[in-house]
Amino acid sequence: MKDTPHGLIKGEVTGRINWTDSEFSLQITADIACYTAGQFTKLALYDGSGGDEGEWIRRAYSFVNSPNHALGQQVMEFLIIAVPDGQLSSRLDRLQVGDDVYVGKSPAGFMTLDEIPRYTKDLWLLSTGTAIGPFLSLLDEVETQQRFDNVVLVHAVRTSAELVYQDKIQHLEERYQGKFHYVPIVSRENRKDTLRGRIPALLKTGDLVNAAGIALTTDYSFFYLCGNPSMVKDTSEVLIQLGYQKHSRRSTGHFNSENYW
Ligand SMILES: Cc1cc2nc3c(=O)[nH]c(=O)nc-3n(C[C@H](O)[C@H](O)[C@H](O)COP(=O)(O)OP(=O)(O)OC[C@H]3O[C@@H](n4cnc5c(N)ncnc54)[C@H](O)[C@@H]3O)c2cc1C
Ligand SMILES: NC(=O)c1ccc[n+]([C@@H]2O[C@H](COP(=O)([O-])OP(=O)(O)OC[C@H]3O[C@@H](n4cnc5c(N)ncnc54)[C@H](OP(=O)(O)O)[C@@H]3O)[C@@H](O)[C@H]2O)c1
Protein backbone atom coordinates (compact mmCIF):
# COMPACT_ATOMS: atom_id res chain seq x y z
CA MET A 1 0.00 0.00 0.00
CA LYS A 2 1.17 3.52 -0.74
CA ASP A 3 1.97 5.83 2.21
CA THR A 4 -1.01 7.38 3.94
CA PRO A 5 -1.58 10.69 2.18
CA HIS A 6 -1.35 13.98 4.01
CA GLY A 7 -4.63 14.79 5.77
CA LEU A 8 -5.67 11.20 6.47
CA ILE A 9 -5.17 9.20 9.64
CA LYS A 10 -5.64 5.50 10.33
CA GLY A 11 -8.76 4.62 12.33
CA GLU A 12 -10.52 1.41 13.31
CA VAL A 13 -14.09 0.24 12.88
CA THR A 14 -15.32 -0.29 16.44
CA GLY A 15 -19.01 -0.86 15.75
CA ARG A 16 -21.47 -1.54 12.95
CA ILE A 17 -25.27 -1.42 12.62
CA ASN A 18 -26.99 -2.95 9.57
CA TRP A 19 -30.25 -1.10 8.91
CA THR A 20 -31.15 -2.64 5.53
CA ASP A 21 -29.34 -4.65 2.83
CA SER A 22 -27.63 -1.44 1.67
CA GLU A 23 -27.77 1.03 4.56
CA PHE A 24 -25.53 0.75 7.59
CA SER A 25 -23.78 2.77 10.30
CA LEU A 26 -20.10 2.51 11.14
CA GLN A 27 -18.63 3.53 14.46
CA ILE A 28 -15.02 4.52 13.86
CA THR A 29 -12.38 5.42 16.40
CA ALA A 30 -9.59 7.74 15.20
CA ASP A 31 -7.48 10.55 16.56
CA ILE A 32 -9.02 13.41 14.54
CA ALA A 33 -9.17 17.14 15.27
CA CYS A 34 -12.21 18.70 17.00
CA TYR A 35 -15.40 18.83 14.99
CA THR A 36 -18.65 20.74 15.34
CA ALA A 37 -22.10 19.16 15.21
CA GLY A 38 -23.42 19.21 11.61
CA GLN A 39 -19.98 18.84 10.01
CA PHE A 40 -18.45 16.05 7.92
CA THR A 41 -15.05 14.52 7.34
CA LYS A 42 -13.51 12.22 4.70
CA LEU A 43 -13.45 8.44 4.91
CA ALA A 44 -10.91 6.75 2.68
CA LEU A 45 -9.66 3.32 1.60
CA TYR A 46 -6.78 2.33 -0.63
CA ASP A 47 -7.76 0.58 -3.84
CA GLY A 48 -4.79 -1.53 -4.89
CA SER A 49 -6.62 -3.36 -7.66
CA GLY A 50 -4.77 -1.33 -10.28
CA GLY A 51 -1.32 -2.63 -9.16
CA ASP A 52 1.20 0.21 -9.35
CA GLU A 53 -1.66 2.41 -10.41
CA GLY A 54 -3.49 1.88 -7.08
CA GLU A 55 -5.18 4.91 -5.56
CA TRP A 56 -6.77 6.30 -2.42
CA ILE A 57 -10.54 6.73 -2.73
CA ARG A 58 -11.97 9.31 -0.37
CA ARG A 59 -15.45 10.76 0.05
CA ALA A 60 -17.26 13.04 2.51
CA TYR A 61 -19.41 11.55 5.31
CA SER A 62 -21.29 13.46 8.00
CA PHE A 63 -20.97 12.78 11.72
CA VAL A 64 -24.15 11.35 13.23
CA ASN A 65 -23.16 11.95 16.82
CA SER A 66 -22.43 15.19 18.62
CA PRO A 67 -18.74 15.75 19.45
CA ASN A 68 -19.91 16.09 23.06
CA HIS A 69 -21.34 12.57 23.34
CA ALA A 70 -20.39 10.28 26.18
CA LEU A 71 -17.67 8.31 24.32
CA GLY A 72 -15.82 11.47 23.27
CA GLN A 73 -15.25 13.07 19.88
CA GLN A 74 -12.69 10.52 18.71
CA VAL A 75 -15.42 7.88 18.60
CA MET A 76 -17.46 8.83 15.54
CA GLU A 77 -20.55 7.40 13.89
CA PHE A 78 -21.45 7.63 10.19
CA LEU A 79 -24.68 6.58 8.43
CA ILE A 80 -23.93 5.29 4.95
CA ILE A 81 -25.83 3.90 1.96
CA ALA A 82 -24.02 1.63 -0.49
CA VAL A 83 -24.61 3.30 -3.85
CA PRO A 84 -24.84 0.63 -6.60
CA ASP A 85 -21.37 0.46 -8.25
CA GLY A 86 -20.26 3.26 -5.91
CA GLN A 87 -16.47 3.24 -5.72
CA LEU A 88 -16.11 3.83 -1.99
CA SER A 89 -19.52 3.19 -0.38
CA SER A 90 -19.62 -0.41 -1.65
CA ARG A 91 -16.17 -0.99 -0.09
CA LEU A 92 -17.19 0.65 3.20
CA ASP A 93 -20.16 -1.74 3.22
CA ARG A 94 -17.73 -4.67 3.42
CA LEU A 95 -15.97 -3.33 6.57
CA GLN A 96 -16.44 -5.17 9.84
CA VAL A 97 -15.47 -4.45 13.45
CA GLY A 98 -11.67 -4.50 13.80
CA ASP A 99 -10.97 -3.38 10.20
CA ASP A 100 -8.84 -0.34 9.41
CA VAL A 101 -10.34 2.68 7.68
CA TYR A 102 -8.74 6.05 6.98
CA VAL A 103 -10.30 9.27 8.23
CA GLY A 104 -9.76 12.92 7.28
CA LYS A 105 -7.98 14.66 10.17
CA SER A 106 -9.71 17.99 9.62
CA PRO A 107 -13.51 18.07 9.67
CA ALA A 108 -15.31 20.68 7.56
CA GLY A 109 -18.73 22.11 6.75
CA PHE A 110 -20.96 25.06 7.50
CA MET A 111 -24.27 23.37 8.35
CA THR A 112 -23.70 24.17 12.01
CA LEU A 113 -25.53 26.05 14.80
CA ASP A 114 -23.25 29.09 14.47
CA GLU A 115 -24.41 29.66 10.88
CA ILE A 116 -28.10 29.88 11.82
CA PRO A 117 -29.27 33.52 12.04
CA ARG A 118 -30.05 34.80 15.52
CA TYR A 119 -33.69 35.66 14.64
CA THR A 120 -34.52 31.94 14.29
CA LYS A 121 -37.07 30.54 16.72
CA ASP A 122 -38.28 27.58 14.65
CA LEU A 123 -35.62 25.41 13.03
CA TRP A 124 -36.67 23.10 10.18
CA LEU A 125 -34.26 20.26 9.29
CA LEU A 126 -35.25 18.72 5.94
CA SER A 127 -33.40 15.55 4.92
CA THR A 128 -33.49 12.68 2.44
CA GLY A 129 -31.89 9.28 3.02
CA THR A 130 -28.61 9.29 4.97
CA ALA A 131 -28.69 13.09 5.30
CA ILE A 132 -30.62 12.69 8.54
CA GLY A 133 -27.13 12.04 10.03
CA PRO A 134 -25.85 15.63 10.48
CA PHE A 135 -29.27 16.68 11.80
CA LEU A 136 -29.14 14.01 14.52
CA SER A 137 -25.73 15.41 15.43
CA LEU A 138 -27.18 18.95 15.69
CA LEU A 139 -30.16 17.68 17.70
CA ASP A 140 -27.82 15.99 20.15
CA GLU A 141 -26.42 19.39 21.18
CA VAL A 142 -27.77 21.00 24.36
CA GLU A 143 -27.60 24.40 22.60
CA THR A 144 -30.16 23.26 20.00
CA GLN A 145 -32.59 22.27 22.72
CA GLN A 146 -32.11 25.54 24.61
CA ARG A 147 -31.90 28.05 21.75
CA PHE A 148 -35.01 27.29 19.65
CA ASP A 149 -38.73 27.22 20.47
CA ASN A 150 -39.32 24.39 18.01
CA VAL A 151 -37.14 22.03 15.99
CA VAL A 152 -38.75 20.03 13.17
CA LEU A 153 -36.91 16.99 11.80
CA VAL A 154 -38.23 15.87 8.40
CA HIS A 155 -36.84 12.56 7.11
CA ALA A 156 -37.85 11.49 3.60
CA VAL A 157 -36.99 7.96 2.51
CA ARG A 158 -38.10 5.43 -0.07
CA THR A 159 -39.29 2.73 2.33
CA SER A 160 -40.07 2.64 6.05
CA ALA A 161 -37.08 0.33 6.69
CA GLU A 162 -34.90 3.42 6.06
CA LEU A 163 -36.54 5.37 8.91
CA VAL A 164 -33.39 4.74 10.94
CA TYR A 165 -32.38 5.69 14.50
CA GLN A 166 -35.91 5.39 15.94
CA ASP A 167 -34.42 4.90 19.42
CA LYS A 168 -32.50 8.20 19.19
CA ILE A 169 -35.62 9.95 17.87
CA GLN A 170 -37.73 8.65 20.73
CA HIS A 171 -35.08 9.83 23.17
CA LEU A 172 -35.09 13.32 21.55
CA GLU A 173 -38.90 13.45 21.85
CA GLU A 174 -38.57 12.83 25.58
CA ARG A 175 -35.63 15.21 26.04
CA TYR A 176 -37.02 18.19 24.09
CA GLN A 177 -40.36 18.14 25.99
CA GLY A 178 -42.71 19.24 23.22
CA LYS A 179 -40.19 21.35 21.26
CA PHE A 180 -39.18 18.49 18.91
CA HIS A 181 -41.39 17.49 15.97
CA TYR A 182 -40.49 14.45 13.85
CA VAL A 183 -42.09 14.12 10.40
CA PRO A 184 -41.22 10.88 8.56
CA ILE A 185 -42.06 10.71 4.85
CA VAL A 186 -42.07 7.49 2.81
CA SER A 187 -42.22 7.74 -0.97
CA ARG A 188 -42.54 4.17 -2.22
CA GLU A 189 -44.90 2.47 0.26
CA ASN A 190 -48.42 3.14 1.43
CA ARG A 191 -48.44 3.59 5.19
CA LYS A 192 -50.99 5.05 7.56
CA ASP A 193 -48.47 6.44 10.07
CA THR A 194 -46.29 8.56 7.72
CA LEU A 195 -46.77 11.10 4.97
CA ARG A 196 -46.37 9.75 1.45
CA GLY A 197 -44.56 11.67 -1.30
CA ARG A 198 -41.68 14.13 -1.58
CA ILE A 199 -40.65 17.12 0.55
CA PRO A 200 -41.19 19.93 -2.02
CA ALA A 201 -44.70 18.78 -3.01
CA LEU A 202 -45.74 18.22 0.61
CA LEU A 203 -44.39 21.66 1.52
CA LYS A 204 -46.39 23.23 -1.29
CA THR A 205 -49.67 21.51 -0.35
CA GLY A 206 -49.27 22.37 3.34
CA ASP A 207 -49.34 18.68 4.37
CA LEU A 208 -45.82 18.84 5.78
CA VAL A 209 -46.61 21.90 7.89
CA ASN A 210 -49.84 20.30 9.15
CA ALA A 211 -47.98 17.14 10.10
CA ALA A 212 -45.36 19.15 12.00
CA GLY A 213 -48.03 21.21 13.75
CA ILE A 214 -45.82 24.33 13.52
CA ALA A 215 -46.81 27.33 11.40
CA LEU A 216 -44.30 28.71 8.90
CA THR A 217 -43.33 32.36 9.10
CA THR A 218 -40.73 34.50 7.35
CA ASP A 219 -40.28 36.24 10.74
CA TYR A 220 -38.54 33.40 12.56
CA SER A 221 -38.49 30.10 10.61
CA PHE A 222 -35.12 28.89 9.27
CA PHE A 223 -34.52 25.78 7.14
CA TYR A 224 -31.52 23.51 6.57
CA LEU A 225 -31.91 21.26 3.50
CA CYS A 226 -29.62 18.25 3.14
CA GLY A 227 -29.26 15.21 0.89
CA ASN A 228 -30.40 14.50 -2.66
CA PRO A 229 -29.44 17.54 -4.80
CA SER A 230 -32.70 17.46 -6.74
CA MET A 231 -34.65 17.58 -3.44
CA VAL A 232 -32.49 20.55 -2.40
CA LYS A 233 -33.13 22.31 -5.72
CA ASP A 234 -36.89 21.61 -5.85
CA THR A 235 -37.40 22.52 -2.18
CA SER A 236 -35.40 25.75 -2.56
CA GLU A 237 -37.70 26.71 -5.44
CA VAL A 238 -40.82 26.07 -3.34
CA LEU A 239 -39.39 28.05 -0.41
CA ILE A 240 -38.65 30.98 -2.72
CA GLN A 241 -42.21 30.81 -4.08
CA LEU A 242 -43.43 30.93 -0.46
CA GLY A 243 -41.44 34.14 0.17
CA TYR A 244 -38.27 32.75 1.80
CA GLN A 245 -34.73 33.72 0.76
CA LYS A 246 -31.47 31.81 0.54
CA HIS A 247 -29.19 32.61 3.47
CA SER A 248 -25.51 33.45 3.21
CA ARG A 249 -22.98 35.04 5.53
CA ARG A 250 -23.24 38.23 3.49
CA SER A 251 -27.02 38.30 3.18
CA THR A 252 -29.31 37.07 5.97
CA GLY A 253 -32.01 34.76 4.67
CA HIS A 254 -34.20 31.83 5.66
CA PHE A 255 -32.62 28.66 4.31
CA ASN A 256 -29.33 27.00 3.52
CA SER A 257 -28.37 23.60 2.17
CA GLU A 258 -25.80 20.85 1.69
CA ASN A 259 -25.86 18.57 -1.37
CA TYR A 260 -24.63 14.99 -0.94
CA TRP A 261 -23.67 14.68 -4.62
C1 LIG B 1 -20.79 17.12 2.49
C2 LIG B 1 -21.17 15.69 2.16
C3 LIG B 1 -21.54 14.83 3.17
C4 LIG B 1 -21.90 13.52 2.86
N1 LIG B 1 -22.31 12.68 3.87
C5 LIG B 1 -22.72 11.42 3.58
C6 LIG B 1 -23.19 10.55 4.61
O1 LIG B 1 -23.19 10.89 5.79
N2 LIG B 1 -23.60 9.31 4.23
C7 LIG B 1 -23.59 8.88 2.93
O2 LIG B 1 -23.98 7.74 2.65
N3 LIG B 1 -23.12 9.68 1.95
C8 LIG B 1 -22.68 10.93 2.25
N4 LIG B 1 -22.21 11.73 1.24
C9 LIG B 1 -22.03 11.14 -0.10
C10 LIG B 1 -20.64 10.45 -0.14
O3 LIG B 1 -19.62 11.44 -0.04
C11 LIG B 1 -20.38 9.68 -1.44
O4 LIG B 1 -20.59 10.52 -2.53
C12 LIG B 1 -21.26 8.45 -1.58
O5 LIG B 1 -21.01 7.52 -0.52
C13 LIG B 1 -21.01 7.77 -2.94
O6 LIG B 1 -19.64 7.53 -3.07
P1 LIG B 1 -19.13 6.30 -3.97
O7 LIG B 1 -17.66 6.41 -4.10
O8 LIG B 1 -19.67 5.02 -3.44
O9 LIG B 1 -19.88 6.60 -5.34
P2 LIG B 1 -19.23 7.18 -6.69
O10 LIG B 1 -18.52 6.07 -7.38
O11 LIG B 1 -18.46 8.42 -6.37
O12 LIG B 1 -20.57 7.53 -7.46
C14 LIG B 1 -21.33 8.63 -7.02
C15 LIG B 1 -22.56 8.78 -7.89
O13 LIG B 1 -23.61 7.96 -7.36
C16 LIG B 1 -24.85 8.66 -7.39
N5 LIG B 1 -25.48 8.63 -6.06
C17 LIG B 1 -26.65 8.06 -5.79
N6 LIG B 1 -26.95 8.15 -4.51
C18 LIG B 1 -25.96 8.81 -3.92
C19 LIG B 1 -25.71 9.19 -2.58
N7 LIG B 1 -26.57 8.93 -1.57
N8 LIG B 1 -24.59 9.84 -2.30
C20 LIG B 1 -23.73 10.11 -3.31
N9 LIG B 1 -23.91 9.79 -4.61
C21 LIG B 1 -25.02 9.12 -4.91
C22 LIG B 1 -24.58 10.06 -7.91
O14 LIG B 1 -24.97 10.07 -9.25
C23 LIG B 1 -23.08 10.22 -7.82
O15 LIG B 1 -22.58 10.98 -8.86
C24 LIG B 1 -21.86 13.05 1.53
C25 LIG B 1 -21.43 13.92 0.52
C26 LIG B 1 -21.10 15.22 0.82
C27 LIG B 1 -20.67 16.15 -0.30
N1 LIG C 1 -33.38 3.32 -0.66
C1 LIG C 1 -33.20 2.07 -1.11
O1 LIG C 1 -34.00 1.15 -0.90
C2 LIG C 1 -31.94 1.72 -1.85
C3 LIG C 1 -31.55 0.40 -1.94
C4 LIG C 1 -30.36 0.10 -2.59
C5 LIG C 1 -29.61 1.12 -3.14
N2 LIG C 1 -30.04 2.41 -3.07
C6 LIG C 1 -29.23 3.42 -3.72
O2 LIG C 1 -28.69 4.31 -2.76
C7 LIG C 1 -28.62 5.62 -3.31
C8 LIG C 1 -29.30 6.57 -2.39
O3 LIG C 1 -30.64 6.13 -2.15
P1 LIG C 1 -31.57 6.78 -1.07
O4 LIG C 1 -32.86 6.04 -1.12
O5 LIG C 1 -30.86 6.89 0.22
O6 LIG C 1 -31.72 8.29 -1.58
P2 LIG C 1 -32.65 8.99 -2.66
O7 LIG C 1 -32.66 8.27 -3.94
O8 LIG C 1 -32.21 10.39 -2.64
O9 LIG C 1 -34.14 8.89 -2.02
C9 LIG C 1 -34.46 9.39 -0.73
C10 LIG C 1 -35.76 10.16 -0.81
O10 LIG C 1 -35.56 11.35 -1.60
C11 LIG C 1 -36.64 11.46 -2.49
N3 LIG C 1 -36.34 12.28 -3.66
C12 LIG C 1 -35.68 11.95 -4.78
N4 LIG C 1 -35.65 13.00 -5.63
C13 LIG C 1 -36.31 14.00 -5.04
C14 LIG C 1 -36.66 15.32 -5.42
N5 LIG C 1 -36.32 15.85 -6.59
N6 LIG C 1 -37.37 16.08 -4.56
C15 LIG C 1 -37.73 15.57 -3.37
N7 LIG C 1 -37.47 14.33 -2.96
C16 LIG C 1 -36.77 13.54 -3.78
C17 LIG C 1 -36.98 10.03 -2.85
O11 LIG C 1 -38.28 9.99 -3.39
P3 LIG C 1 -38.66 9.00 -4.63
O12 LIG C 1 -38.79 7.63 -4.05
O13 LIG C 1 -39.96 9.58 -5.11
O14 LIG C 1 -37.55 9.09 -5.65
C18 LIG C 1 -36.86 9.35 -1.49
O15 LIG C 1 -38.05 9.49 -0.76
C19 LIG C 1 -29.25 5.53 -4.70
O16 LIG C 1 -28.20 5.43 -5.64
C20 LIG C 1 -30.03 4.25 -4.68
O17 LIG C 1 -30.07 3.67 -5.97
C21 LIG C 1 -31.19 2.73 -2.40
Side-chain angles (χ1 to χ4, degrees), residues 15-242:
R16 181 178 168 120
I17 306 168
N18 294 315
W19 301 105
T20 68
D21 284 352
S22 55
E23 193 174 17
F24 56 100
S25 292
L26 292 180
Q27 187 193 61
I28 293 171
T29 303
D31 192 11
I32 65 157
C34 290
Y35 71 91
T36 305
Q39 287 192 309
F40 59 88
T41 188
K42 296 279 169 79
L43 295 181
L45 290 171
Y46 184 72
D47 175 13
S49 61
D52 286 349
E53 300 301 310
E55 55 168 352
W56 286 91
I57 315 167
R58 55 179 112 187
R59 301 280 186 269
Y61 294 92
S62 305
F63 300 100
V64 174
N65 48 343
S66 143
N68 301 309
H69 76 133
L71 297 174
Q73 64 124 31
Q74 288 171 348
V75 181
M76 299 151 259
E77 191 157 318
F78 302 94
L79 172 65
I80 303 169
I81 191 144
V83 174
D85 302 320
Q87 257 199 299
L88 185 64
S89 58
S90 56
R91 285 181 170 80
L92 293 173
D93 192 19
R94 294 199 283 272
L95 293 181
Q96 296 299 333
V97 171
D99 286 342
D100 291 344
V101 58
Y102 290 78
V103 185
K105 276 190 234 173
S106 308
F110 297 103
M111 206 170 62
T112 59
L113 290 175
D114 282 354
E115 300 292 327
I116 299 174
R118 298 312 302 182
Y119 72 76
T120 306
K121 289 189 190 169
D122 293 346
L123 176 62
W124 291 73
L125 305 171
L126 311 183
S127 60
T128 56
T130 54
I132 189 178
F135 293 157
L136 291 174
S137 172
L138 285 174
L139 282 158
D140 225 3
E141 292 291 83
V142 175
E143 183 188 335
T144 311
Q145 187 182 348
Q146 291 174 343
R147 192 172 139 190
F148 306 106
D149 291 352
N150 292 290
V151 187
V152 182
L153 173 65
V154 177
H155 190 203
V157 293
R158 295 178 181 193
T159 64
S160 53
E162 290 135 31
L163 294 172
V164 295
Y165 287 112
Q166 289 298 311
D167 52 344
K168 263 187 197 285
I169 286 161
Q170 201 183 333
H171 182 68
L172 289 166
E173 271 162 356
E174 287 158 19
R175 212 183 93 191
Y176 274 66
Q177 298 180 338
K179 283 182 172 190
F180 174 67
H181 312 268
Y182 170 60
V183 184
I185 302 174
V186 171
S187 54
R188 300 192 187 188
E189 275 174 3
N190 276 321
R191 290 180 62 92
K192 290 207 169 70
D193 52 348
T194 65
L195 291 176
R196 172 147 196 195
R198 287 178 161 194
I199 291 172
L202 293 165
L203 195 56
K204 212 168 175 175
T205 56
D207 289 343
L208 200 158
V209 171
N210 286 340
I214 301 296
L216 290 186
T217 160
T218 48
D219 291 340
Y220 51 76
S221 303
F222 183 84
F223 306 79
Y224 268 149
L225 285 47
C226 189
N228 185 316
S230 56
M231 178 282 285
V232 168
K233 180 175 168 286
D234 295 353
T235 307
S236 302
E237 284 169 12
V238 173
L239 286 171
I240 288 167
Q241 285 165 21
L242 293 173

